[in-house]
Amino acid sequence: MSAPSPAAAADTVHPADAVIPTDLDLVVAARTAVASEVVALDLVTPDGATLPPWTPGAHVDLLLDDGLVRSYSLCGDPADAGRWRIAVQREAAGRGGSAAVHERLVPGAGIRVRGPRNHFALVPSASYRFVAGGIGITPLVPMLAAAEAAGADWRLTYGGRSLATMAFAVELRERYGDRVELVPQDRDGLPDLGLALAAPDPDVALYCCGPVPMLDAVATACADRPGALHVERFAPAEPVDTGADTAFEVELAGSGRVLTVPADRSLLDVLEEAGAMPLSSCREGTCGTCETGLLAGEADHRDVLLTAEERDAHETIFPCVSRARCARLVLDL
């Protein structure tokens, strides 16, 4: 959720009907191996109650033991109001979240989940080109179904280390036929991104999720049509030179409390120390878990989630990476 982009790219779109994230105690109803080192988990309420609605591109946060919070894209059917599905790849070099999921979340296990949240929504279009790398396929799965149901012209190029490591690969090819191009690296090398992104429709919407090298290559290939590109990343972008960090104040609107953020500390660190920040995960400006309402002041946005218009509106901030361009920010906390 896992998943930096050039400033010119229209990385994210917040849906008009965005749902306020909710904390829910859910149960693992089913667990399925969908690729080597990838498991899909079906999550339900203990009493079979309806879950909050979501749209393609949304993700949820798993509140794991030991304070771990990890974001995963919903990859099931938005019309199934009783079940959320996620797919988790075990990362040998990860920070423990995926290992906890693989080792502890078996059928019947309980898990607290916050969500849904969507920073990667599918915009209406008559034509789409989708590019996925590895586990980056997860947010695209419901997008393909939505594009198909809408009668849009679409195509997916899906690359991975090998066919065995590519979650949902065979299922997608069987369901959609030649619209799905599978490119396992051990057999075919790397995807031809120029061909993958080519489309006769100049208004085609381009969606990509995957590892940093793929996303950087896609951004380069789409440099002449940045407004069409939507990406979700699992790692932060190269840092932008914003000059020397300076101290600033934050006012917590709920209590009127004023905190000072020193030049050498993050806003998130200060909020957590004050007991005012309920949840965070990536600490890199990529997952959206720590999103906080901004009531007054001008933020120095350093996340990879907000569009240019959203940055200019200064209505929300991601305190894990962002700072202030003024003396004081007022937060909806």
Side-chain angles (χ1 to χ4, degrees), residues 175-218:
R175 183 184 304 172
Y176 300 118
D178 290 342
R179 289 195 179 199
V180 173
E181 179 191 17
L182 302 179
V183 190
Q185 186 175 354
D186 62 347
R187 185 189 72 190
D188 301 327
L190 297 176
D192 183 336
L193 295 178
L195 180 61
L197 298 168
D201 183 355
D203 297 322
V204 64
L206 310 171
Y207 278 80
C208 183
C209 185
V212 171
M214 170 178 280
L215 298 185
D216 289 343
V218 166

Side-chain angles (χ1 to χ4, degrees), residues 98-115:
S98 66
V101 170
H102 277 250
E103 293 168 8
R104 305 175 196 172
L105 294 189
V106 297
I111 178 67
R112 175 157 287 190
V113 182
R114 171 168 290 186

Side-chain angles (χ1 to χ4, degrees), residues 218-285:
V218 166
T220 299
C222 298
D224 60 340
R225 41 182 175 164
L229 179 60
H230 306 263
V231 303
E232 185 169 60
R233 295 181 177 253
F234 305 133
E238 289 297 319
V240 177
D241 184 7
T242 54
D245 289 338
T246 59
F248 61 96
E249 293 182 338
V250 289
E251 178 181 340
L252 310 184
S255 63
R257 187 178 181 186
V258 176
L259 307 173
T260 298
V261 182
D264 61 349
R265 298 191 67 196
S266 73
L267 172 55
L268 178 61
D269 285 342
V270 171
L271 292 173
E272 287 180 333
E273 186 176 85
M277 194 68 227
L279 202 62
S280 66
S281 179
C282 72
R283 311 185 80 89
E284 297 175 331

